[in-house]
């Protein structure tokens, strides 16, 4: 598959914002939520972000945060042209390695209830641990 990732730079924010908006806007509209570029930009600044590549082409990105309880995938965005090719599986595998290296208790994320990415997350060992009106909270315990 020849995938790799590198730490995002300030110059990557435009790529990440555009990809996220393109991928997520339909969910925002379905759930009557407001997409705000400014909110994305503020979140980007405080998170650890990784750009996923094949060769010299960016395919997507992962955005992470941490606390004492877990490593959190805040965003996992893959360009639609590259979905279903193992990119998401690879990215979650990379993040899971970080969980182990950092000795975090768990990997957590939140996903829209109607997002088909839920199937990928379940296949990668994450389980639904809570929900609200439009989101599922998912977790994989590091000791499991």
């Amino acid at each position: 598959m020849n995938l790799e990732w590198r730490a995002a730079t300030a110059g990557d924010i435009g790529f990440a914002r555009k990809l996220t908006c393109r991928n997520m806007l339909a969910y925002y509209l379905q759930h009557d939520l407001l997409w705000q570029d400014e909110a994305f930009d503020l979140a980007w600044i405080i998170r650890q972000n990784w750009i996923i590549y094949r060769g010299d082409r960016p395919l997507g990105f992962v955005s992470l945060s941490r606390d004492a309880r877990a490593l959190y995938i805040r965003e996992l965005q893959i360009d639609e042209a590259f979905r279903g090719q193992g990119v998401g599986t690879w990215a979650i595998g990379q993040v899971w390695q970080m969980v182990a290296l950092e000795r975090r208790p768990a990997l957590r994320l939140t996903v829209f209830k109607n997002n088909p990415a839920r199937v990928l997350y379940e296949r990668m060992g994450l389980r639904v641990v809570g929900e609200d009106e439009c989101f599922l909270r998912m977790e994989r315990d590091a000791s499991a």
Side-chain angles (χ1 to χ4, degrees):
M1 197 174 338
N2 295 335
L3 295 173
E4 56 187 302
W5 66 358
R6 64 158 175 81
T9 66
D12 293 314
I13 193 169
F15 162 77
R17 185 189 325 105
K18 183 177 176 182
L19 177 61
T20 304
C21 185
R22 189 170 58 235
N23 286 350
M24 304 308 291
L25 188 57
Y27 296 106
Y28 275 71
L29 294 172
Q30 289 168 9
H31 295 284
D32 201 29
L33 300 172
L34 178 64
W35 171 265
Q36 294 180 309
D37 286 347
E38 299 82 12
F40 180 90
D41 292 358
L42 287 171
W44 177 266
I45 292 167
I46 63 170
R47 295 179 182 157
Q48 181 186 36
N49 304 295
W50 297 88
I51 305 298
I52 303 165
Y53 278 90
R54 180 181 296 139
D56 61 353
R57 180 158 187 181
L59 310 181
F61 75 96
V62 180
S63 186
L64 306 171
S65 68
R66 297 162 172 78
D67 66 19
R69 296 178 306 269
L71 179 62
Y72 297 84
I73 297 176
R74 299 300 184 174
E75 299 281 351
L76 172 54
Q77 300 294 336
I78 308 298
D79 188 296
E80 187 174 11
F82 301 102
R83 290 187 205 149
Q85 299 177 30
V87 179
T89 299
W90 179 87
I92 293 172
Q94 297 297 112
V95 174
W96 186 247
Q97 287 179 12
M98 294 173 87
V99 170
L101 286 170
E102 296 176 13
R103 299 178 191 267
R104 300 279 168 187
L107 174 61
R108 294 181 177 168
L109 59 80
T110 302
V111 63
F112 280 105
K113 287 181 176 181
N114 58 330
N115 187 331
R118 174 186 176 177
V119 174
L120 165 65
Y121 303 146
E122 289 175 334
R123 188 167 42 79
M124 296 301 292
L126 287 109
R127 298 289 167 248
V128 174
V129 295
E131 65 181 276
D132 62 24
E133 188 175 320
C134 54
F135 295 105
L136 299 173
R137 289 184 310 282
M138 300 184 77
E139 178 176 308
R140 180 176 171 187
D141 190 325
S143 64

